[in-house]
Amino acid sequence: MPEAAQVASLVRTSLEACGVDIDSLQGEQEARSPLTGTVLTMVASSSFDDIDRMIGEAAEAFTSWRDVPAPVRGGLVKRWGELLTEHKDDLANIITAEAGKITSEALGEVQEMIDICDFAVGQSRQLYGKTMPSERPGHRLMETWHPLGVVGIISAFNFPVAVYSWNTALALICGDTVIWKPSETTVLSALAVDALLGQAVKDVGAPANLHKLAITDRVGGERLVDDPRVALISATGSVRMGREVAPRVAARFGRALLELGGNNAAIVAPSADLDLALTGIVFAAVGTAGQRCTSMRRLIVHESIVTELTDKLVAAYGTLRIGSPLQSENLVGPLINQGSFDAMQATLTAARAQGGTVLCGGDRVLAAEAPGAYYVQPAVVRMPGHTPVVADETFAPLLYVMTYRDLNEALTLQNGVPQGLSSAIFTNDQIEAERFLSASGSDCGIANVNIGTSGAEIGGAFGGEKETGGGRESGSDSWKNYMRQATNTINYSGMLPLAQGVKFL
């Protein structure tokens, strides 16, 4: 287990490499590492006056940035992507130390940022509108897309920088400005990423104040949510948070893009390749210590193969090395804090009370070596059916196993939760796969065949239905979230016929 001083030194070196002056940021807010449970440094918080000023400056910057040609705006994002590539290892070090991800996952998160920058640069030349046939002679009917305004981004600890980049890369090429409220537990990652964007702005000569970083708590975040100068709030977090954010934004007729809870399931059919399924299940359930919104929470297995698969699953869990993600041999890092550990223990107690049997895991480990950190053994729980506890999302490495007899029953179990983010089926039966992907199949925003529930690529739109919030980020046509649409009619006929044959004067 690394010493706290070692982790703090690594973070300081990496922050300085990204252009952050830690000494100038000293304040009252603690930045802790889940690896050791100790304080890395102290950081100053943004006051209400600071946040109000940031919104005003971003709104003012928008008035000039919106008129910059979109391909030129893409040049800024291109430079940002180059700096992210240059500092990939530095950013990964900070993410590992602050969010607890193993090195490969931390590097993967930075790669997501680089990939969305590449995507956005291409998109900057493809902000297409349509031309439609007009019913009136000598008229042209078309749509155009225009920059929206200030975009407020509220992000979560589990992907401390990637989700911000999904929003920011697209918002910038669309002509918007951004204000970011990162998770209070991952402010150092935010400082590093914001510094690199600031350097990109200078390098390409873009207007100042295109991006702002508000280091604040929930109350400070409410200032963004309620301010009418913020055209769009993109919020990633819990369903509880979404229930509070959405009505407040709607009350002022703003836009909300919500990425909320996920209670993701995989169906394993009798025809499935169990070795392939096992690999997909373990990563999806255990990756990031079960703290992904796309983490697999439920495993719905055909009754004919459940014993074979659970035996393989328990054996695979027994090989997982748990410990500091700075040590390359470890695959499972810590939970973010004690609250997450306590929630997992409470859920295990509830699962047992509802007839569940814990097949493996659930215990805290390494407490003597790191008393302030919360490392835990990933747990597999066999459940007698879809009991109430299964419908709740617990942000920890906790996987429920249930059985089914036919695909209709499996789909009922799959869709029988309030959340609708990610889903998967493992099958070599094409009819089953097509049924799963059909309108009467999975009701989730992400539906996969023969891969797990996590590990989305940026080329596809990311998001879910029901209590997941309905938002879409990253690829496909998600750029439209950050723009406003206008319908234009151009009359070149020299006459003024009215639509629908209306006669007037």
Side-chain angles (χ1 to χ4, degrees):
M1 187 64 62
E3 297 290 336
Q6 176 189 352
V7 178
S9 176
L10 176 66
V11 169
R12 173 178 280 273
T13 300
S14 298
L15 284 168
E16 290 175 346
C18 293
V20 179
D21 181 1
I22 283 290
D23 294 330
S24 68
L25 298 170
Q26 292 299 310
E28 70 287 351
Q29 181 170 325
E30 293 180 344
R32 288 182 171 271
S33 173
L35 276 60
T36 58
T38 55
V39 175
L40 293 168
T41 189
M42 304 296 290
V43 179
S45 298
S46 303
S47 67
F48 289 167
D49 287 342
D50 291 335
I51 296 170
D52 183 72
R53 173 184 51 77
M54 291 178 190
I55 296 172
E57 290 176 347
E60 177 62 27
F62 170 70
T63 62
S64 60
W65 186 239
R66 65 187 174 187
D67 291 326
V68 174
V72 178
R73 299 193 295 250
L76 167 59
V77 176
K78 179 181 180 180
R79 179 57 184 148
W80 190 32
E82 291 170 348
L83 290 170
L84 292 172
T85 302
E86 180 182 339
H87 294 280
K88 184 175 181 178
D89 289 342
D90 297 316
L91 289 173
N93 288 338
I94 302 167
I95 293 167
T96 291
E98 196 172 35
K101 291 189 176 186
I102 63 173
T103 299
S104 65
E105 288 192 77
L107 288 168
E109 177 162 0
V110 183
Q111 187 61 49
E112 280 195 49
M113 303 180 73
I114 297 166
D115 292 345
I116 194 62
C117 286
D118 287 345
F119 182 93
V121 171
Q123 189 71 69
S124 70
R125 294 182 179 269
Q126 300 178 85
L127 301 178
Y128 296 140
K130 299 175 182 176
T131 298
M132 293 79 76
S134 173
E135 66 187 55
R136 290 168 286 184
H139 286 62
R140 179 156 62 91
L141 190 62
M142 66 179 186
E143 67 179 23
T144 51
W145 292 86
H146 302 293
L148 185 62
V150 180
V151 174
I153 303 168
I154 300 173
S155 61
F157 80 87
N158 58 329
F159 278 85
V161 293
V163 174
Y164 165 72
S165 71
W166 293 355
N167 285 273
T168 299
L170 291 178
L172 289 174
I173 64 104
C174 288
D176 302 325
T177 56
V178 297
I179 301 177
W180 181 18
K181 182 217 167 296
S183 167
E184 297 162 73
T185 58
T186 52
V187 297
L188 300 182
S189 301
L191 285 165
V193 166
D194 184 68
L196 292 177
L197 180 52
Q199 184 61 52
V201 167
K202 293 178 182 177
D203 289 349
V204 302
N209 299 320
L210 295 181
H211 63 111
K212 296 291 181 180
L213 177 62
I215 298 176
T216 185
D217 58 12
R218 173 182 171 181
V219 178
E222 291 174 350
R223 309 285 286 203
L224 289 179
V225 169
D226 293 336
D227 197 303
R229 294 172 294 177
V230 181
L232 169 68
I233 290 289
S234 177
T236 302
S238 67
V239 173
R240 175 202 58 75
M241 179 202 72
R243 291 189 192 283
E244 296 183 13
V245 168
R248 294 173 73 151
V249 176
R252 61 176 179 84
F253 298 101
R255 293 191 193 181
L257 194 167
L258 302 177
E259 295 289 355
L260 308 175
N263 191 351
N264 314 294
I267 298 169
V268 185
S271 66
D273 179 334
L274 292 189
D275 290 333
L276 182 147
L278 182 67
T279 301
I281 292 164
V282 173
F283 173 70
V286 174
T288 320
Q291 298 171 112
R292 292 186 174 210
C293 51
T294 54
S295 290
M296 192 180 298
R297 313 288 180 197
R298 299 174 295 137
L299 191 60
I300 303 166
V301 187
H302 193 271
E303 59 184 10
S304 66
I305 57 172
V306 67
T307 299
E308 180 182 2
L309 182 57
T310 52
D311 286 348
K312 289 177 177 285
L313 195 59
V314 170
Y317 271 47
T319 68
L320 296 172
R321 291 186 63 92
I322 305 166
S324 169
L326 293 175
Q327 297 169 329
S328 60
E329 68 271 18
N330 293 327
L331 294 177
V332 183
L335 296 175
I336 192 66
N337 54 32
Q338 181 179 353
S340 294
F341 175 77
D342 291 344
M344 181 178 180
Q345 299 310 302
T347 302
L348 286 169
T349 298
R352 292 186 183 98
Q354 294 174 27
T357 301
V358 178
L359 301 181
C360 66
D363 296 327
R364 185 182 178 190
V365 296
L366 303 174
E369 295 91 330
Y374 288 85
Y375 295 85
V376 66
Q377 295 171 328
V380 178
V381 183
R382 179 74 181 269
M383 296 302 293
H386 213 277
T387 67
V389 71
V390 175
D392 295 329
E393 179 189 30
T394 301
F395 227 55
L398 174 54
L399 180 65
Y400 302 112
V401 179
M402 298 165 284
T403 60
Y404 76 95
R405 294 184 178 181
D406 60 55
L407 187 58
N408 285 335
E409 181 185 6
L411 288 170
T412 298
L413 291 170
Q414 146 71 40
N415 296 336
V417 295
Q419 310 86 356
L421 179 52
S422 187
S423 59
I425 187 170
F426 290 92
T427 180
N428 285 324
D429 185 321
Q430 184 177 355
I431 294 176
E432 288 185 325
E434 295 292 345
R435 172 72 192 285
F436 182 76
L437 299 177
S438 72
S440 59
S442 169
D443 65 0
C444 295
I446 299 170
N448 298 329
V449 176
N450 290 330
I451 63 170
T453 56
S454 62
E457 299 179 33
I458 61 92
F462 181 91
E465 301 302 318
K466 303 188 292 188
E467 287 189 357
T468 302
R472 292 296 185 275
E473 295 172 319
S474 187
S476 186
D477 61 352
S478 298
W479 61 271
K480 293 180 179 179
N481 288 305
Y482 310 95
M483 304 198 83
R484 60 179 179 86
Q485 183 181 14
T487 300
N488 313 128
T489 304
I490 301 170
N491 177 8
Y492 58 93
S493 70
M495 303 179 66
L496 195 62
L498 301 178
Q500 293 87 47
V502 173
K503 302 297 183 181
F504 194 81
L505 295 179

